[in-house]
Amino acid sequence: MPERILQVATAISGQANDKITEIKAVTRATRTLALNALIEAARAGEVGRGFGVVANEVKEISQRVNVITEELEDMFLTLASDLEKTAQTVRGDRFADLARYSVELMDRNLYERSCDVRWWATDAAVVDVCENLQDPAFALRASERLGVILDSYTVYLDLWVVDRNGNVIANGRPDSYRVMGQNVSDQGWFQEALRCRDGGHYAVADVAANSLLNNAATPTYATAVRRGGSVDGDVIGVLGVFFDWESQAPMIVKSLNFNAEERERTRVMLIDARNRVLAASDDRGVLSETFNLRVDDPARGAYLLEDGSLVAYALTPGYETYQGLGWRGVIVQTPRAENAAA
């Protein structure tokens, strides 16, 4: 609808300019005729005096028409400009709303991940393996239990139980990811999880390729495993869950309701706090491109590029207890081919 308003505004402005140009041509011709009539009246002397009065009146009317025409031209230019600005504002607001929707939809999804990790950290099998590090039977049982969870929660690559020293002691997909015995004590998510002050808190790492998961991109959620599964028990290990970003994120950025023509010239992205592209509807630049976003209002905004492309963005509002990681939804739409040619 905003683009249609822009098209109508451009059409009205063009037609108005054409008609005003025609009126100016007629006015110039009228002035010329009036001038010629005055010259002929002067030559005719007393006989042409009456005709000269009429010629003067025609000249004055022509001048008044010219003034009115210029006023109309200014008015049409102003109205067309105001209409165009209004349409651009409406369009920018619409796209900023869509950008917010995309990042909010992702954060609603990730909020569930923050809930999952805190819940599963109290699972008996997870707690038992951390309390019985020397007994392989507990590690086997924990891996089987994590595998059962993964069968129902298909949005994860894997789930790991890690001891206090950073050694992976159980995982849900041992056939796919041979991580048992690997040490992750240097990972930020592990270190932060150890520092969680109670069972209601968790750590989160931004999207990154994980070498132990075949270099798959994943945001990691983690929390401390506590003795007896108690909310305030002693920390005896860490549970880390790895979201399947490469399968789930594209569904978000490709889900916005654009028609086929719009979709062809529209790029939807999620970017992190450093403007790194995390997901893109065209699948380009993921985790490698830094998008040059102009941020006037930190919360949301829209602006035009020199080529007429619209850029709209919105900062995540978070969801429930999940504050988000400072991500933004971004939409870039290039102009229609006919508009670009014009």
Side-chain angles (χ1 to χ4, degrees):
M1 182 60 72
E3 283 202 341
R4 180 59 183 154
I5 294 174
L6 280 174
Q7 289 177 340
V8 171
T10 302
I12 290 174
S13 179
Q15 291 177 19
N17 284 334
D18 290 343
K19 297 304 179 185
I20 287 172
T21 299
E22 290 181 22
I23 293 172
K24 284 184 174 180
V26 172
T27 304
R28 284 195 300 271
T30 304
R31 281 204 307 270
T32 301
L33 288 173
L35 181 60
N36 289 336
L38 284 171
I39 292 172
E40 293 301 323
R43 286 177 180 173
E46 189 66 27
V47 176
R49 181 175 297 176
F51 188 61
V53 173
V54 174
N56 268 321
E57 288 293 331
V58 171
K59 180 182 177 182
E60 288 181 11
I61 291 173
S62 174
Q63 290 172 339
R64 285 166 56 195
V65 170
N66 190 57
V67 170
I68 293 170
T69 302
E70 289 178 351
E71 290 175 348
L72 278 174
E73 185 175 28
D74 290 342
M75 182 185 72
F76 275 122
L77 286 174
T78 300
L79 288 174
S81 177
D82 288 347
L83 187 58
E84 182 176 355
K85 288 177 182 177
T86 300
Q88 291 288 14
T89 299
V90 171
R91 182 166 169 249
D93 284 344
R94 175 197 169 213
F95 276 67
D97 285 342
L98 289 173
R100 174 178 166 131
Y101 171 77
S102 65
V103 72
E104 188 174 19
L105 190 62
M106 177 54 75
D107 274 356
R108 288 186 181 191
N109 193 322
L110 296 180
Y111 162 72
E112 298 292 337
R113 308 314 38 109
S114 71
C115 295
D116 289 345
V117 71
R118 286 175 285 179
W119 171 30
W120 296 334
T122 66
D123 188 276
V126 172
V127 174
D128 286 348
V129 70
C130 292
E131 291 180 338
N132 298 275
L133 297 176
Q134 305 306 317
D135 192 335
F138 285 95
L140 179 60
R141 180 170 177 268
S143 290
E144 290 175 347
R145 172 60 179 156
L146 296 177
V148 170
I149 292 173
L150 287 170
D151 287 341
S152 298
Y153 290 80
T154 57
V155 298
Y156 292 104
L157 293 169
D158 205 3
L159 312 177
W160 299 352
V161 182
V162 186
D163 68 18
R164 281 186 58 85
N165 295 319
N167 300 304
V168 180
I169 56 177
N171 74 304
R173 291 193 172 124
D175 293 336
S176 299
Y177 307 110
R178 300 182 182 278
V179 296
M180 291 281 288
Q182 295 285 344
N183 189 278
V184 295
S185 59
D186 62 338
Q187 298 296 303
W189 58 266
F190 170 77
Q191 297 166 6
E192 191 178 342
L194 283 180
R195 294 192 294 268
C196 286
R197 58 179 179 268
D198 58 48
H201 291 80
Y202 62 93
V204 56
D206 223 327
V207 181
N210 189 316
S211 60
L212 297 178
L213 296 170
N214 300 333
N215 286 318
T218 176
T220 304
Y221 290 77
T223 193
V225 179
R226 298 177 182 275
R227 192 172 300 282
S230 174
V231 172
D232 55 0
D234 293 336
V235 175
I236 56 176
V238 164
L239 176 67
V241 303
F242 302 91
F243 184 66
D244 188 357
W245 183 258
E246 294 175 8
S247 295
Q248 302 299 316
M251 291 191 291
I252 299 292
V253 293
K254 295 179 182 182
S255 67
L256 297 186
N257 189 24
F258 294 112
N259 61 41
E261 187 276 330
E262 279 188 308
R263 191 175 295 110
E264 190 68 26
R265 56 191 177 88
T266 304
R267 188 185 190 199
V268 182
M269 292 173 284
L270 297 176
I271 64 174
D272 67 13
R274 297 170 293 168
N275 291 350
R276 181 181 55 142
V277 175
L278 301 175
S281 58
D282 59 1
D283 299 316
R284 292 189 294 108
V286 176
L287 300 187
S288 62
E289 177 187 349
T290 298
F291 184 76
N292 185 24
L293 180 67
R294 190 184 84 201
V295 178
D296 297 322
D297 181 340
R300 55 178 283 149
Y303 57 91
L304 291 177
L305 299 178
E306 289 186 3
D307 66 357
S309 296
L310 175 70
V311 180
Y313 65 89
L315 179 69
T316 174
Y319 184 72
E320 296 288 347
T321 58
Y322 184 65
Q323 298 299 312
L325 298 172
W327 295 356
R328 285 186 170 90
V330 177
I331 299 176
V332 180
Q333 188 176 86
T334 59
R336 295 178 188 273
E338 61 268 25
N339 293 345

PDB file of all heavy atoms in Angstrom, residues 131-143:
ATOM      1  N   GLU A 131      27.514 -36.457  40.018  1.00  0.00           N
ATOM      2  CA  GLU A 131      27.809 -36.901  41.385  1.00  0.00           C
ATOM      3  C   GLU A 131      28.555 -38.238  41.420  1.00  0.00           C
ATOM      4  O   GLU A 131      29.073 -38.640  42.458  1.00  0.00           O
ATOM      5  CB  GLU A 131      26.503 -37.028  42.180  1.00  0.00           C
ATOM      6  CG  GLU A 131      25.842 -35.682  42.461  1.00  0.00           C
ATOM      7  CD  GLU A 131      24.542 -35.827  43.251  1.00  0.00           C
ATOM      8  OE1 GLU A 131      23.953 -36.925  43.213  1.00  0.00           O
ATOM      9  OE2 GLU A 131      24.131 -34.844  43.901  1.00  0.00           O
ATOM     10  N   ASN A 132      28.613 -38.920  40.261  1.00  0.00           N
ATOM     11  CA  ASN A 132      29.255 -40.244  40.205  1.00  0.00           C
ATOM     12  C   ASN A 132      30.190 -40.301  38.996  1.00  0.00           C
ATOM     13  O   ASN A 132      30.004 -41.092  38.059  1.00  0.00           O
ATOM     14  CB  ASN A 132      28.196 -41.338  40.108  1.00  0.00           C
ATOM     15  CG  ASN A 132      27.267 -41.370  41.310  1.00  0.00           C
ATOM     16  OD1 ASN A 132      27.567 -41.988  42.329  1.00  0.00           O
ATOM     17  ND2 ASN A 132      26.132 -40.692  41.184  1.00  0.00           N
ATOM     18  N   LEU A 133      31.208 -39.468  39.025  1.00  0.00           N
ATOM     19  CA  LEU A 133      32.092 -39.316  37.879  1.00  0.00           C
ATOM     20  C   LEU A 133      32.871 -40.573  37.534  1.00  0.00           C
ATOM     21  O   LEU A 133      33.268 -40.779  36.387  1.00  0.00           O
ATOM     22  CB  LEU A 133      33.070 -38.158  38.128  1.00  0.00           C
ATOM     23  CG  LEU A 133      32.442 -36.770  38.280  1.00  0.00           C
ATOM     24  CD1 LEU A 133      33.509 -35.743  38.615  1.00  0.00           C
ATOM     25  CD2 LEU A 133      31.708 -36.374  37.001  1.00  0.00           C
ATOM     26  N   GLN A 134      33.100 -41.450  38.513  1.00  0.00           N
ATOM     27  CA  GLN A 134      33.947 -42.620  38.277  1.00  0.00           C
ATOM     28  C   GLN A 134      33.168 -43.828  37.769  1.00  0.00           C
ATOM     29  O   GLN A 134      33.772 -44.839  37.414  1.00  0.00           O
ATOM     30  CB  GLN A 134      34.672 -42.987  39.579  1.00  0.00           C
ATOM     31  CG  GLN A 134      35.474 -41.851  40.201  1.00  0.00           C
ATOM     32  CD  GLN A 134      36.461 -41.232  39.218  1.00  0.00           C
ATOM     33  OE1 GLN A 134      37.134 -41.954  38.492  1.00  0.00           O
ATOM     34  NE2 GLN A 134      36.543 -39.908  39.197  1.00  0.00           N
ATOM     35  N   ASP A 135      31.859 -43.741  37.726  1.00  0.00           N
ATOM     36  CA  ASP A 135      31.052 -44.892  37.335  1.00  0.00           C
ATOM     37  C   ASP A 135      30.524 -44.700  35.914  1.00  0.00           C
ATOM     38  O   ASP A 135      29.648 -43.871  35.679  1.00  0.00           O
ATOM     39  CB  ASP A 135      29.884 -45.075  38.313  1.00  0.00           C
ATOM     40  CG  ASP A 135      29.174 -46.399  38.138  1.00  0.00           C
ATOM     41  OD1 ASP A 135      29.236 -46.958  37.024  1.00  0.00           O
ATOM     42  OD2 ASP A 135      28.534 -46.858  39.108  1.00  0.00           O
ATOM     43  N   PRO A 136      31.034 -45.470  34.928  1.00  0.00           N
ATOM     44  CA  PRO A 136      30.606 -45.303  33.531  1.00  0.00           C
ATOM     45  C   PRO A 136      29.131 -45.608  33.301  1.00  0.00           C
ATOM     46  O   PRO A 136      28.548 -45.162  32.314  1.00  0.00           O
ATOM     47  CB  PRO A 136      31.501 -46.285  32.777  1.00  0.00           C
ATOM     48  CG  PRO A 136      31.965 -47.266  33.793  1.00  0.00           C
ATOM     49  CD  PRO A 136      32.060 -46.513  35.083  1.00  0.00           C
ATOM     50  N   ALA A 137      28.517 -46.367  34.211  1.00  0.00           N
ATOM     51  CA  ALA A 137      27.103 -46.687  34.047  1.00  0.00           C
ATOM     52  C   ALA A 137      26.255 -45.421  34.113  1.00  0.00           C
ATOM     53  O   ALA A 137      25.247 -45.289  33.389  1.00  0.00           O
ATOM     54  CB  ALA A 137      26.657 -47.673  35.127  1.00  0.00           C
ATOM     55  N   PHE A 138      26.643 -44.473  34.974  1.00  0.00           N
ATOM     56  CA  PHE A 138      25.893 -43.218  35.083  1.00  0.00           C
ATOM     57  C   PHE A 138      26.067 -42.357  33.828  1.00  0.00           C
ATOM     58  O   PHE A 138      25.135 -41.689  33.389  1.00  0.00           O
ATOM     59  CB  PHE A 138      26.336 -42.443  36.329  1.00  0.00           C
ATOM     60  CG  PHE A 138      25.805 -43.026  37.608  1.00  0.00           C
ATOM     61  CD1 PHE A 138      26.578 -43.921  38.343  1.00  0.00           C
ATOM     62  CD2 PHE A 138      24.546 -42.704  38.067  1.00  0.00           C
ATOM     63  CE1 PHE A 138      26.088 -44.470  39.519  1.00  0.00           C
ATOM     64  CE2 PHE A 138      24.049 -43.252  39.244  1.00  0.00           C
ATOM     65  CZ  PHE A 138      24.821 -44.136  39.965  1.00  0.00           C
ATOM     66  N   ALA A 139      27.279 -42.405  33.249  1.00  0.00           N
ATOM     67  CA  ALA A 139      27.525 -41.651  32.011  1.00  0.00           C
ATOM     68  C   ALA A 139      26.671 -42.210  30.883  1.00  0.00           C
ATOM     69  O   ALA A 139      26.082 -41.456  30.088  1.00  0.00           O
ATOM     70  CB  ALA A 139      29.001 -41.708  31.646  1.00  0.00           C
ATOM     71  N   LEU A 140      26.585 -43.559  30.809  1.00  0.00           N
ATOM     72  CA  LEU A 140      25.763 -44.186  29.772  1.00  0.00           C
ATOM     73  C   LEU A 140      24.299 -43.822  29.949  1.00  0.00           C
ATOM     74  O   LEU A 140      23.604 -43.489  28.977  1.00  0.00           O
ATOM     75  CB  LEU A 140      25.949 -45.701  29.823  1.00  0.00           C
ATOM     76  CG  LEU A 140      25.122 -46.515  28.811  1.00  0.00           C
ATOM     77  CD1 LEU A 140      25.479 -46.111  27.385  1.00  0.00           C
ATOM     78  CD2 LEU A 140      25.330 -48.009  29.039  1.00  0.00           C
ATOM     79  N   ARG A 141      23.831 -43.876  31.193  1.00  0.00           N
ATOM     80  CA  ARG A 141      22.427 -43.555  31.469  1.00  0.00           C
ATOM     81  C   ARG A 141      22.132 -42.094  31.124  1.00  0.00           C
ATOM     82  O   ARG A 141      21.073 -41.776  30.549  1.00  0.00           O
ATOM     83  CB  ARG A 141      22.100 -43.827  32.932  1.00  0.00           C
ATOM     84  CG  ARG A 141      20.653 -43.516  33.313  1.00  0.00           C
ATOM     85  CD  ARG A 141      20.315 -44.036  34.702  1.00  0.00           C
ATOM     86  NE  ARG A 141      18.964 -43.672  35.080  1.00  0.00           N
ATOM     87  CZ  ARG A 141      18.646 -42.557  35.753  1.00  0.00           C
ATOM     88  NH1 ARG A 141      19.599 -41.734  36.144  1.00  0.00           N
ATOM     89  NH2 ARG A 141      17.386 -42.292  36.058  1.00  0.00           N
ATOM     90  N   ALA A 142      23.058 -41.193  31.451  1.00  0.00           N
ATOM     91  CA  ALA A 142      22.853 -39.773  31.154  1.00  0.00           C
ATOM     92  C   ALA A 142      22.796 -39.534  29.649  1.00  0.00           C
ATOM     93  O   ALA A 142      21.944 -38.786  29.152  1.00  0.00           O
ATOM     94  CB  ALA A 142      23.968 -38.937  31.784  1.00  0.00           C
ATOM     95  N   SER A 143      23.683 -40.191  28.902  1.00  0.00           N
ATOM     96  CA  SER A 143      23.682 -40.033  27.445  1.00  0.00           C
ATOM     97  C   SER A 143      22.378 -40.550  26.846  1.00  0.00           C
ATOM     98  O   SER A 143      21.810 -39.934  25.931  1.00  0.00           O
ATOM     99  CB  SER A 143      24.873 -40.766  26.821  1.00  0.00           C
ATOM    100  OG  SER A 143      26.081 -40.102  27.133  1.00  0.00           O
TER     101      SER A 143
END
